[in-house]
Amino acid sequence: MKEFLKRHGLWVLFATAVIAVVLAVLSVFSTTSSPLVNLAQTITSPFRAAYTAAAGWLMDKQSYYEDTSALKAENQELKKRIAEMEAEVRQAQNDSEENERLRSLMNLREQRRDLSDLEAATITEHSTSNWTSYLTLNRGTDHGVEKNDCVITEAGYLVGVVSEVGSNWCTVLNIVDTDTSMGAQVFRTDDIGVAEGDFALMSRSRLRLDFLPAGAQLLNGDLVVTSGLGGYYPSGLVIGMVEEVQTDDSGATSYAILRPSAEFDDLTQVFIIKSFDIVD
Amino acid sequence: MTPRQETIHKWGLYALLTLFCCAWQGAVLQYVRLGGVFPFVYPILAAILSTLEGPLSGMIYSLVLGVVCDLTISAPIPCFYTLVFPLAGLLAGILARSVLSSGFLSALVTSMAAFVLTGAFHGLIFMFASRPAWGQAAIVCAKELAVSLPWALPVYFLFRRVWRRCLENEPTRL
C-alpha cells in the first residue's frame, strides 16, 4: 500500500481532485441531483428500504409487546372499574326502587291518614308448600307486629294477613290462601261480600268474592276493596279486580273471581299495618 | 362397636342425611317450579326410611320429621305433618315388609303412597272446612308426585348406603 501510494499517490490525488471538481460542477449545473449521487442513491435505495422495513418490524414487535403488557394492565384496571361501577349501578337500582316504594308509601300515607302505623318488612321466604300460599317476613313481636295485622304493598294493595308471629319474623297468609277470608266491598256498586281463598283458584293466584247480595250487578274490572266492617281490618284496601262473574252449582247465587292487585311473586318488600283508625 | 353404639351411629347418619335433604329442599327444590308446583322431598324421606327400617322405626322417624315440618312449614292445621307422616311411615313400612320386597321399586311405591296419603289429608281438611276441592287436590297431588318422585332415586341410594353399611357391621342381623 505504501509502495502503491509512493508510486501512484500523485495520480490518485489528481484523480480525486478531478472527480471532486466534476461532481461540484455537475451539482452546480444539475437541477435535481448529481448523476453520481443519483447512481449511488439508486443502488443503495432497495437496501435501505429493506433495512428500514426490518427495523420497523422490530420496532413494531417491541411496541406490540409493550402495548400488550400495558393493555393487559389497563384491561385489568378497566375490568375492576366496570365491576365497581356495576355494583354501584345495582346499588343505585336498589336505592331507586326503594326510593320509589317509599315515595308511593308517602303518597299512601297522605291519602290514607287512617293507617297510622306502618312497618316496612322484607320478604325472607315465599311459600314452602304446594298447598298453601304465604310469605315469611323479617318483622315480628319485637317490632310490634301482631297476629291478624294486614300487610300491603307500597301502592296500598292488600297482600295478606299475619297468621303467625315470632320475635323477629312473621308469616303472612296471602289473600289467595284457602284460610284467608275478609269482608269486601265492590267500589262501584258498594255491594258487600266476602273475599276468600279457594284452593281451586289458588294455583292461578285468584280468589272468590262470595255472599254477594241478590241482584248484584258486577262488571269485569270492578275494583274490590276491604269493607272494614266490624273494624277487624282497615277499610278501602285494594284487594283486586273482578275477573269474571259466575253462578254457583245451585244457580241461586253468584260469585265473582277476583284477580289480586298485588303480584305476590314479584314482591320483595311490604308494609305491615300495625294500627289503624276506624273510618265510618 | 357395641350394638348400642352402632345404632346411635346409624341414626346419627340418618339425621345428618335428613338435615342435608331439608337444606336441599329449602335452598334448591323450593325454587324449581314445574307446572306451578315444586318438588317436596319430605314424604319421600318418611317412606324410604320406613321401607328400610320397618314400620315401627319408620313411624318414629316420620313422627320426628313431621314435627320438624310442622315447625318450619305452614300447613292447613298446626299438626298436619305430625299426623300424616307417621301414618305414611307406618303404611310404607308395612307395605315394604309384607307386600313388596325391599328395594328401589318398593321405595318408589311407598313414596307414591305417602304422597297420595298427604294429598288425601289435604282434601279431607278442605272438605271439613266446607271448601271441598277434591279435583284440584288430586291435580296438585299428581303434579307434586310427578316432580318429586325423581328425587326418590338419590334419596333412596343415600339412605340405603348408610343402612347397608351399618347392616354389614352387624353380621348377626344379616
Side-chain angles (χ1 to χ4, degrees), chain B residues 32-172:
Chain B
V32 187
R33 279 192 178 271
L34 295 165
V37 297
F38 51 79
F40 194 60
V41 84
Y42 299 111
I44 293 174
L45 291 178
I48 285 176
L49 205 121
S50 304
T51 307
L52 295 171
E53 289 294 335
L56 183 66
S57 305
M59 196 171 79
I60 294 167
Y61 169 84
S62 306
L63 178 74
V64 176
L65 185 69
V67 171
V68 171
C69 283
D70 275 325
L71 292 175
T72 53
I73 301 170
S74 185
I77 55 169
C79 54
F80 181 82
Y81 294 109
T82 311
L83 287 173
V84 176
F85 282 177
L87 279 177
L90 182 68
L91 180 68
I94 291 170
L95 277 175
R97 288 290 153 98
S98 21
V99 183
L100 303 159
S101 58
S102 185
F104 179 63
L105 188 68
S106 171
L108 267 185
V109 172
T110 53
S111 298
M112 285 168 76
F115 275 105
V116 170
L117 194 67
T118 311
F121 259 70
H122 276 292
L124 273 178
I125 285 168
F126 292 138
M127 195 181 77
F128 287 134
S130 306
R131 295 186 299 260
W134 287 107
Q136 187 62 24
I139 291 169
V140 172
C141 183
K143 281 184 181 176
E144 196 173 61
L145 183 63
V147 298
S148 307
L149 218 51
W151 293 101
L153 186 70
V155 171
Y156 174 73
F157 283 105
L158 274 175
F159 277 86
R160 186 170 170 270
R161 193 177 166 82
V162 173
W163 179 70
R164 280 195 73 85
R165 198 178 150 188
C166 294
L167 205 64
E168 280 160 11
N169 294 338
E170 287 180 75
T172 51

Side-chain angles (χ1 to χ4, degrees), chain A residues 39-61:
Chain A
L39 181 69
Q41 292 286 358
T42 306
I43 291 165
T44 57
S45 182
F47 296 103
R48 281 194 296 174
Y51 160 77
T52 308
W57 183 79
L58 279 173
M59 291 280 282
D60 271 357
K61 287 291 166 197

